Amino acid sequence: MTLQVRVLGSAAGGGVPQWNSLGEACRLARAGDPRSPPRTQTGLAVSVDGHSWWLLDASPDLRQQLADAPALHPQRPPRHTPIRGVVLTGGDVDKVAGLLCLREGEPLSLLATRAVLDLLDATPIFEVLDRDRVERRTLPLDERTPLGDPSTAPSVTAFAVPGKVPRWREDPRDPLGGADPGHAVGLLVEGGGARVAYVPGCAAIEDGWASRLDGASAIFVDGTLWKDDEMRELGVSAKTGRRMGHVSISGADGALARLRGVDAGRKVLIHLNNTNPALIAGTPERDQITAVGWEVAFDGMEMTL
Ligand code: MLT
Ligand code: MN
């Protein structure tokens, strides 16, 4: 048995090209330049047996992502899906809007922390996922949760990372949303003799949770921005990465430096924002990433671990 992983999408909210961006990565992607391929919004699909799949996050691009992934197509008429469920790492639009693409009545499990399920429960449009068919399961923190029979399904362990409430629930007086630890989580997926870590959004890398990545077959880590003030510098937003709940790739507190000591089979950056120069092959920023043994995720990237 192995653990199969497919990167459904590798970009942050907005994707590449983002509809309103004429930034370099978006411009190149629109022009069909192979240095910056188009990217949909972040999510993974994982499977132990190759027949039953679980989605990690459900991006607004899910419909296209499923169309592009033969293993996730229906296998028999009239209707069927190999997808057994969805596990969420937060409540951001780019993590949950794709749930609305799964409203055609297949039985699914939807797992998320209590904090994220509370948001979904309070947002009536998600009731389009009939609760008789799509059970909502609370994902406890720090507890290994089997997704099904271990011969056909992996387990997941959610762990809190520094983050914030989704932008659509921000209170202007307290935009980071206090300290509720359930709003941003990383996932350890274990099955088929392999372990994969998926942390697409975290405001800081702390030893407490980062030590869990040690020994993983592959890790997928927040690569939203190259540097904290990148969006300000480009004049597209006043927000820093930290304010958005995202660590940067570079710098002394960045992902590359802080995870240098982590021993993992593959180290992959994911959820790259369209402002990030590392999106573009051949940039000095991309070269710095590959020089220290990291990779940049791309749509359709597959691993058998
Ligand atoms: C994020 O990753 O910070 C969010 O997806 C931003 C957003 O909701 O637009
Ligand atoms: Mn996001």
Side-chain angles (χ1 to χ4, degrees), residues 150-171:
S151 61
T152 57
S155 68
V156 289
T157 307
F159 54 90
V161 296
K164 65 172 198 64
V165 294
R167 180 152 68 101
W168 56 280
R169 293 298 294 171
E170 277 182 14
D171 174 345

Side-chain angles (χ1 to χ4, degrees), residues 13 92-95 164 167 244 246 271:
D92 288 337
V93 169
D94 62 345
K95 295 183 161 63
K164 65 172 198 64
R167 180 152 68 101
M244 294 191 301
H246 293 293
H271 191 276

Side-chain angles (χ1 to χ4, degrees), residues 255-263 267 294:
L256 297 187
R258 298 279 297 144
L259 296 174
R260 191 169 23 216
V262 169
D263 175 28
K267 294 177 167 183
W294 283 75

Side-chain angles (χ1 to χ4, degrees), residues 82-156:
I83 299 168
R84 297 283 172 272
V86 184
V87 187
L88 300 175
T89 62
D92 288 337
V93 169
D94 62 345
K95 295 183 161 63
V96 304
L99 292 172
L100 303 177
C101 302
L102 301 173
R103 63 185 181 280
E104 281 81 15
E106 293 296 332
L108 299 169
S109 297
L110 172 59
L111 291 93
T113 61
R114 193 63 253 162
V116 171
L117 282 187
D118 283 347
L119 292 178
L120 298 183
D121 287 349
T123 308
I125 196 169
F126 291 107
E127 298 307 322
V128 75
L129 296 174
D130 182 349
R131 288 179 191 244
D132 289 338
R133 309 286 290 166
V134 181
E135 54 151 359
R136 299 187 184 188
R137 284 174 65 188
T138 305
L139 188 60
L141 293 177
D142 305 319
E143 229 174 81
R144 191 167 165 169
T145 303
L147 293 176
D149 182 316
S151 61
T152 57
S155 68
V156 289

